[in-house]
Amino acid sequence: MAKINPEFTKELKSYGAFDVNACYNCGNCTAVCSLSDEENSFPRKMIRLSVLGLEEDIQMSLDPWLCYYCGECSTTCPRQAEPGELMMSLRRWLISKYDWTGLSGLLYKSFTASLTAFIILATGVLWFAAYQGFNPEKLLHYGHYFEMIAIAFVFAFILLPDIIRMWWFTFSKEHSKIPLSAYTKAIGDLFVHMFTQKRTLGCDDSQVRWFEHLILVFGYLLLLFTTVFLDWFGTNNTFVIALGYIESAIIFVVTFIFVLSRVKKEKEVSKHSHPSDWFFVIWLFLMGFTAFFVRLFIDINILNTNIWLYVLHLIVLVQWALLIVPFGKWTHFLYRSFAMYFIRVKSLNTK
Amino acid sequence: MKKKIGVYICHCGGNISDYVDVEQVRKAVENEPGVFLAKTTMFACADSNQKEMVEDIAAQHLDGVVVASCSPKLHLITFRAVTERAGLNKYNYVHANIREQVSWAHSDNKPGATEKAIRIVKSAIAKVNRSESLEPVKVSATKAVAVIGAGVAGMRAAIELAEAGSEVYLIEREHFVGGRVAQFDDLCVSTETGKTLVTRLYDEVMKHKHVTLFTGAEVIETSGSVGNFNLKVKVVPRYIELRCKEHQLQDAIDVCPVQVPDEFNFNITMRKAIYHNYPSEYPQLPAIDIKNCTRCGECEKVCENINFDQKTEYLNLKVGSILLATGFDPYEPKRGEFGYGEIENVVTLPQFKRIMHYSKDKLMYRGKQIKHIAYIYCVGSRQVDGENKYCSRYCCTATIHSAVTAKNKFKDIYNYHFNRGIRTYGKQEVLYDESSRKGDIYLQSFEDAPPVVEKKGDKTIVKITDILTNNKELEVEADLVVLVTGMVPRKENSIAGLLKVPKGRDNFFNEIHMKLRPVETVIDGITIAGASQGPKNIMESMNSALSAATKSFSIVNAGELALEPTVAKIDKENCEWCGKCDEACPYSAFTKIEYNGKFIAEVNETICKGCGMCLPVCDTNAIELIGFTDKEVESMIDALV
């Protein structure tokens, strides 16, 4: 027996812009959705659970991760209830539920909190740079050092526990019932979805979006690898340097397109932008852009006289690594692929 | 026996002639006794054929006409009119149905169909051979209408009748006018209150010198028939004289020691034995509820116009037509129905409206603040096991309107609608939209799995298996459970019994034809309006009130009525009053009279409908039905077999 909680929609509204109460259960959204199927039927079911405030049911559902936001449901909705945006908001809400620190929820719900966090980190970096006397060599050294530490820390203490929590919620009552073999058999799905996002292609007319997103993911992962493990800013290897240029250029060009479409609001997917969406695309753009020019300044040998650029890059990097990656939109990269993985595990088990 | 009968056999395009050989039919009947001419025609009802018929009848001096075509329900009146236009009495026309009864019914057997058509036409010829010219029964009509019930429908009808020029007696059983609508605050979709509507109508009623309003009045005897009804009306006094000082009256109310449940507020409050329902109520004079008055004399001490010497009066009124607008009762849930009567915070929708009326800033009931309200729909309507199979039409809208009103008027209101499908038809749909956008939650179940109301400790829980959430079991902790009760016929409706007004399966007054004759009853001269006929909202009640008024007016306006002459006729010599005809008659058209030293039955021609129910029960065969005499019917049977 589940208890109805009408307050829930109020809370949910701080995670996104939509009018879920307008829904009169016609089900058009689910009918037009090209990704919804009999086993995982959405978004109507999710809207209903949201209206009734059945948090537990939403928390254990993976449906929000199965939606890739083509926006067909929102354009078809006869009551402008914005089901697509609801699914987006539920993903944000789920992220904050998975996050054991509770910081995700705070940053999603409060723009002021987000801004404060960004400012604190920026001040910290500035203070540290000043403390180091704006010495380029030292800053580059610590910057590189920070990257490695941050990745290890964020992964071990934030992302890993959060994924375990996601698993715990998802399999709420069947943790012990699923044999280990199901997990190992399905592992392929995790990586296929993580690196191809092929489910996006299930949405209508999504080929371009999928391709842009795909090269962005690869550009990002490779740049991460290039800077952290091949020490892009420190290397003399022409191939590595060229690789880094290409990767960072891909990042800022593609994110520029994304930012532009969010400004234009022509497509359903880019009509509604939560602050977390802006932070994500803009910071990714800034990352690529500043990295590109930092390397360029190194190559034309003017970085020493323009150390501000590296300080700027470092600020963006720190904010990205300590806010957006662990508590922001970046996590969808993991949760989407783990959702597909968990669904495969479930279906293997039921078979 | 006639000599010049004209027979017309219709092809009906091919509807008849595709299965019935109409030419063979024509040949078979052209030599029947009395037949002068027999023709076939493509469409008997076509203008050209009607003209040809008129010419035939006039030029050939036809004395009887038969058309064999479709059902008489469709064209009997058409061809009767043709004979009248040609100067022949319309009762010399007989209709033979060879479409519904022959070609459509026997499309698989063409020779058989033709044979049957021949016999049917022959039987019609046999009847027309014996037909007689008849003249309508003329009766005078009193140009006055009694309107029973001074609710909004009754008052609207009264105004309309008075404006048209009829004398109107508006008879209200209660001491105050307005009926159920007076109990409503805000209405939808307009923004007026029920009281505003009542006031406007009352003011208009009072302006017309041709409307006489009786309050505290009840019809206790009726006699007569269309055009001339006699009503005996009992008028209970208020025991308060007119032109009384207002403050004294208030004092009288204040000092009255009697407390009785206030029916106007559906018993959620108490009132005194001297009372009015609300301060601005019409007529603006309180009344003493003499049944509950203890005659303690307290009121007389503070108010000089209390007069216990006023007597119950009896009036005799004569009217040409009676318009019934007696309204409805809200359904009273059974004890234990969704916890009603057992759980203290379970109320009905009418009670909830009164609770809202008496709450100021916070919604309060029994000293507790109400925030979470569960509405359970279709209580007493659309019943699976009970008798009320119908939908009460107004309740979905009324509930959603109340829910939205509660949300606007009070803080922190959460509405939960446990429904069986929302029916806010027409313009009322905007309310549903508004309520849902304001965050009202709609939960739905089928009739076989209604919601359950339970008491858990001091909490009231409403549970449902919600079909909108994949049959998930859901529960709400409600501060107040509102049972959305529908409309049922008035429990106390003595006039209906007196007048023998027919009732439908739902026990509301029944019209002659739901679509074509929606405000007339089978009892001539009695029309029905408003929710006495079935669940209606105010707008629909006004529509029916206006059409009932027009219909009643058309009866009394000419001063004389022409009634169908096809009625029962008593053979005075043969009749030995046994009373069986009187028992069989659904209209009470018979009276027992003395004739030549014996008792016989007499038919009131204005009441008799010519239904024929009395004929087979008469042991001495002393009743004939004019237009369907034994001779006519027997000759038809002879032709058929």
Side-chain angles (χ1 to χ4, degrees):
Chain A
M1 191 65 68
K3 212 172 154 190
I4 295 170
N5 172 19
E7 297 281 6
F8 181 67
T9 45
K10 282 184 200 162
E11 189 203 327
L12 202 54
K13 272 181 187 165
S14 52
Y15 286 89
F18 60 91
D19 186 9
V20 74
N21 285 322
C23 171
Y24 58 17
N25 296 296
C26 68
N28 273 336
C29 47
T30 302
V32 297
C33 178
S34 40
L35 290 175
S36 169
D37 55 39
E38 266 182 45
E39 273 172 39
N40 298 93
S41 158
F42 59 90
R44 197 202 82 95
K45 205 169 122 194
M46 278 295 131
I47 297 174
R48 191 64 190 158
L49 295 177
S50 306
V51 168
L52 301 176
L54 304 179
E55 291 186 47
E56 230 175 83
D57 295 68
I58 302 172
Q59 197 173 273
M60 61 185 282
S61 172
L62 291 171
D63 290 356
W65 298 114
L66 302 183
C67 158
Y68 279 67
Y69 208 163
C70 65
E72 268 299 295
C73 51
S74 289
T75 40
T76 317
C77 178
R79 303 261 286 190
Q80 292 81 44
E82 304 279 358
E85 190 55 21
L86 171 85
M87 295 300 271
M88 185 71 224
S89 310
L90 284 177
R91 286 193 283 276
R92 292 181 195 126
W93 183 82
L94 280 176
I95 288 175
S96 72
K97 283 284 146 185
Y98 298 157
D99 179 24
W100 67 273
T101 64
L103 276 171
S104 296
L106 182 71
L107 298 176
Y108 272 124
K109 277 196 267 189
S110 161
F111 181 66
T112 326
S114 300
L115 213 60
T116 316
F118 275 89
I119 291 169
I120 289 172
L121 288 183
T123 322
V125 172
L126 275 175
W127 175 83
F128 181 77
Y131 184 73
Q132 298 298 334
F134 294 102
N135 179 328
E137 211 166 296
K138 274 188 181 172
L139 286 181
L140 274 163
H141 169 72
Y142 283 120
H144 186 58
Y145 199 60
F146 168 80
E147 280 175 339
M148 290 187 283
I149 298 283
I151 289 172
F153 173 83
V154 165
F155 185 77
F157 295 104
I158 312 289
L159 298 177
L160 191 62
D162 286 356
I163 283 179
I164 292 170
R165 276 168 68 86
M166 176 190 187
W167 169 81
W168 182 260
F169 293 149
T170 309
F171 291 93
S172 66
K173 280 159 203 156
E174 35 184 12
H175 298 113
S176 51
K177 287 183 198 156
I178 294 171
L180 200 66
S181 60
Y183 289 104
T184 48
K185 262 190 213 166
I187 198 81
D189 273 50
L190 175 66
F191 293 104
V192 167
H193 285 283
M194 190 178 277
F195 293 109
T196 65
Q197 299 93 41
K198 66 173 186 178
R199 194 175 159 82
T200 320
L201 290 166
C203 290
D204 295 336
D205 301 326
S206 62
Q207 290 88 343
V208 175
R209 185 158 73 99
W210 167 77
F211 181 70
E212 287 168 344
H213 191 271
L214 186 74
I215 61 164
L216 179 63
V217 170
F218 274 98
Y220 171 78
L221 290 175
L222 285 173
L223 183 66
L224 195 70
F225 184 78
T226 314
T227 47
V228 177
F229 298 103
L230 302 179
D231 192 16
W232 185 39
F233 291 153
T235 189
N236 286 322
N237 185 322
T238 328
F239 174 74
V240 175
I241 294 171
L243 192 66
Y245 272 129
I246 296 168
E247 291 153 359
S248 52
I250 285 175
I251 292 176
F252 72 74
V253 169
V254 175
T255 46
F256 183 75
I257 297 171
F258 283 0
V259 172
L260 212 62
S261 72
R262 280 195 182 273
V263 171
K264 282 187 190 159
K265 297 185 178 184
E266 273 164 3
K267 285 181 207 149
E268 197 57 44
V269 65
S270 48
K271 256 183 199 161
H272 305 280
S273 298
H274 187 267
S276 59
D277 298 324
W278 288 118
F279 282 132
F280 184 73
V281 283
I282 293 174
W283 257 248
L284 199 47
F285 168 82
L286 290 174
M287 286 257 295
F289 198 71
T290 53
F292 186 93
F293 280 94
V294 165
R295 182 65 233 190
L296 190 69
F297 278 24
I298 293 172
D299 285 341
I300 55 174
N301 220 357
I302 57 165
L303 188 69
N304 286 347
T305 49
N306 288 291
I307 193 62
W308 59 268
L309 180 71
Y310 187 72
V311 174
L312 181 68
H313 175 72
L314 200 57
I315 290 173
V316 172
L317 181 71
V318 169
Q319 290 167 331
W320 173 263
L322 297 186
L323 292 176
I324 297 174
V325 173
F327 308 115
K329 193 175 176 169
W330 186 90
T331 48
H332 80 278
F333 169 70
L334 287 181
Y335 295 142
R336 276 202 185 284
S337 30
F338 270 93
M340 295 309 295
Y341 172 49
F342 290 156
I343 280 173
R344 181 90 178 121
V345 170
K346 275 191 177 184
S347 75
L348 281 175
N349 189 45
T350 40
K351 272 173 201 166
Chain B
M1 296 294 277
K2 299 216 162 42
K3 284 174 186 163
K4 284 195 158 186
I5 298 168
V7 181
Y8 299 84
I9 300 145
C10 181
H11 284 252
C12 194
N15 272 304
I16 294 170
S17 55
D18 284 354
Y19 310 102
V20 172
D21 185 341
V22 289
E23 185 51 34
Q24 201 184 321
V25 176
R26 192 191 68 77
K27 279 185 187 153
V29 302
E30 68 180 343
N31 295 321
E32 280 293 289
V35 173
F36 178 77
L37 65 83
K39 290 180 176 179
T40 64
T41 169
M42 189 49 79
F43 285 106
C45 56
D47 265 359
S48 55
N49 185 65
Q50 288 193 31
K51 273 183 195 153
E52 194 182 323
M53 282 173 71
V54 171
E55 280 164 23
D56 284 350
I57 297 166
Q60 311 291 343
H61 303 288
L62 298 184
D63 54 6
V65 178
V66 170
V67 174
S69 61
C70 52
S71 162
K73 284 193 169 179
L74 216 61
H75 279 309
L76 173 71
I77 292 170
T78 312
F79 296 117
R80 274 187 171 180
V82 168
T83 58
E84 275 195 316
R85 286 207 296 279
L88 180 66
N89 184 287
K90 67 181 176 187
Y91 295 96
N92 289 312
Y93 169 75
V94 174
H95 199 93
N97 180 357
I98 60 165
R99 192 178 74 176
E100 281 82 346
Q101 288 181 356
V102 181
S103 66
W104 284 358
H106 305 292
S107 53
D108 56 334
N109 180 1
K110 291 181 187 180
T114 305
E115 177 58 26
K116 185 175 173 185
I118 291 169
R119 295 203 189 184
I120 285 181
V121 179
K122 279 185 177 173
S123 81
I125 294 166
K127 181 168 191 268
V128 84
N129 252 318
R130 288 154 186 86
S131 71
E132 280 171 24
S133 299
L134 301 172
E135 292 306 323
V137 178
K138 303 239 168 159
V139 289
S140 68
T142 311
K143 202 169 176 180
V145 178
V147 176
I148 315 292
V152 286
M155 287 199 283
R156 191 73 197 86
I159 294 162
E160 205 59 25
L161 284 161
E163 273 176 4
S166 165
E167 196 66 34
V168 184
Y169 304 111
L170 182 54
I171 300 166
E172 170 57 49
R173 188 168 57 189
E174 301 295 323
H175 283 291
F176 306 96
V177 301
R180 297 290 175 200
V181 174
Q183 292 170 303
F184 299 158
D185 280 357
D186 293 335
L187 302 174
C188 73
V189 182
S190 72
T191 52
E192 288 153 306
T193 65
K195 294 176 181 70
T196 327
L197 291 193
V198 170
T199 308
R200 278 178 60 177
L201 287 170
Y202 180 79
D203 288 346
E204 265 191 79
V205 164
M206 285 298 121
K207 265 194 286 182
H208 282 285
K209 60 174 190 273
H210 291 298
V211 185
T212 315
L213 170 68
F214 301 99
T215 54
E218 196 174 355
V219 177
I220 52 166
E221 265 178 49
T222 63
S223 62
S225 57
V226 61
N228 299 289
F229 289 103
N230 298 305
L231 305 178
K232 189 170 181 188
V233 181
K234 175 184 166 189
V235 185
V236 178
R238 305 176 98 81
Y239 302 102
I240 296 169
E241 282 166 12
L242 282 168
R243 287 174 208 85
C244 168
K245 288 170 190 142
E246 220 171 280
H247 66 94
Q248 284 194 349
L249 274 175
Q250 192 52 51
D251 291 345
I253 294 173
D254 292 343
V255 298
C256 177
V258 179
Q259 293 263 357
V260 290
D262 188 352
E263 283 184 357
F264 186 80
N265 290 328
F266 302 99
N267 303 337
I268 62 160
T269 59
M270 305 295 273
R271 67 159 166 78
K272 302 294 180 68
I274 171 167
Y275 73 104
H276 49 51
N277 292 324
Y278 55 94
S280 62
E281 191 171 36
Y282 288 102
Q284 282 173 314
L285 189 68
I288 290 174
D289 165 14
I290 204 72
K291 271 184 209 150
N292 289 304
C293 174
T294 57
R295 300 290 187 95
C296 66
E298 289 296 323
C299 54
E300 286 171 291
K301 286 180 197 161
V302 294
C303 178
E304 59 206 46
N305 298 92
I306 307 279
N307 180 0
F308 283 107
D309 294 334
Q310 287 183 351
K311 291 275 178 296
T312 299
E313 285 179 74
Y314 294 90
L315 307 170
N316 288 306
L317 302 174
K318 195 172 179 193
V319 294
S321 172
I322 301 170
L323 189 153
L324 298 175
T326 50
F328 69 98
D329 276 333
Y331 172 77
E332 176 72 19
K334 294 186 187 70
R335 192 179 161 80
E337 194 173 358
F338 297 107
Y340 187 74
E342 288 173 352
I343 302 172
E344 58 170 16
N345 52 350
V346 176
V347 299
T348 64
L349 178 65
Q351 284 174 333
F352 176 61
K353 288 185 182 190
R354 302 312 295 165
I355 293 168
M356 279 212 284
H357 175 85
Y358 285 105
S359 297
K360 290 291 167 256
D361 304 323
K362 288 176 181 171
L363 184 60
M364 303 292 287
Y365 182 60
R366 291 184 183 234
K368 285 182 189 159
Q369 189 180 352
I370 307 297
K371 286 184 175 178
H372 297 266
I373 310 168
Y375 304 88
I376 299 179
Y377 284 62
C378 300
V379 177
S381 304
R382 300 169 72 198
Q383 289 176 326
V384 181
D385 301 320
E387 281 181 0
N388 306 343
K389 302 291 179 201
Y390 55 87
C391 160
S392 284
R393 290 178 70 82
Y394 98 111
C395 10
C396 279
T397 307
T399 310
I400 296 174
H401 179 248
S402 301
V404 170
T405 310
K407 222 168 200 177
N408 290 340
K409 194 174 168 190
F410 309 105
K411 269 184 193 164
D412 301 330
I413 296 289
Y414 297 94
N415 295 315
Y416 308 87
H417 303 261
F418 292 82
N419 68 85
R420 275 169 56 191
I422 294 295
R423 299 178 172 184
T424 44
Y425 55 96
K427 289 176 185 175
Q428 301 159 137
E429 181 72 8
V430 294
L431 261 179
Y432 178 31
D433 182 78
E434 188 187 343
S435 121
S436 120
R437 283 185 200 274
K438 280 194 162 145
D440 280 14
I441 289 175
Y442 286 84
L443 304 145
Q444 198 169 326
S445 61
F446 291 122
E447 60 275 17
D448 52 0
V452 177
V453 183
E454 276 178 4
K455 194 88 190 163
K456 251 189 209 164
D458 59 344
K459 290 172 181 166
T460 308
I461 309 284
V462 186
K463 290 179 182 173
I464 190 172
T465 305
D466 182 28
I467 59 171
L468 298 178
T469 319
N470 205 16
N471 286 325
K472 203 172 167 59
E473 286 190 9
L474 299 170
E475 64 172 44
V476 168
E477 194 187 313
D479 301 324
L480 191 70
V481 178
V482 177
L483 305 184
V484 178
T485 47
M487 293 183 179
V488 291
R490 284 266 185 198
K491 231 181 290 162
E492 288 166 37
N493 209 338
S494 51
I495 181 112
L498 293 173
L499 293 168
K500 286 197 183 176
V501 184
K503 290 176 180 177
R505 237 178 271 172
D506 53 13
N507 265 325
F508 284 101
F509 293 161
N510 214 3
E511 63 287 311
I512 293 181
H513 189 285
M514 197 185 273
K515 294 180 175 69
L516 301 176
R517 298 178 73 179
V519 296
E520 294 160 87
T521 66
V522 290
I523 303 174
D524 280 344
I526 295 178
T527 58
I528 49 179
S532 64
Q533 186 188 9
K536 285 190 181 70
N537 65 24
I538 298 174
M539 191 175 75
E540 290 154 357
S541 287
M542 292 301 102
N543 283 335
S544 71
L546 290 174
S547 49
T550 312
K551 205 66 219 175
S552 277
F553 184 72
S554 74
I555 294 167
V556 300
N557 182 39
E560 191 183 62
L561 293 167
L563 304 176
E564 280 282 314
T566 47
V567 293
K569 192 182 166 193
I570 303 290
D571 179 346
K572 290 177 183 170
E573 307 310 323
N574 270 346
C575 178
E576 307 282 344
W577 172 267
C578 65
K580 283 184 184 171
C581 52
D582 190 33
E583 278 170 35
C585 181
Y587 307 102
S588 307
F590 288 97
T591 39
K592 189 178 174 181
I593 59 159
E594 219 181 320
Y595 172 79
N596 278 354
K598 62 172 182 175
F599 286 109
I600 63 163
E602 189 186 58
V603 178
N604 183 334
E605 290 179 327
T606 60
I607 298 177
C608 177
K609 293 264 164 201
C611 69
M613 297 285 273
C614 50
L615 272 71
V617 298
C618 182
D619 290 336
T620 55
N621 199 19
I623 313 175
E624 280 272 49
L625 192 59
I626 297 168
F628 293 90
T629 58
D630 285 355
K631 268 190 206 164
E632 286 170 291
V633 176
E634 280 162 12
S635 71
M636 287 175 81
I637 295 169
D638 288 343
L640 281 170
V641 294

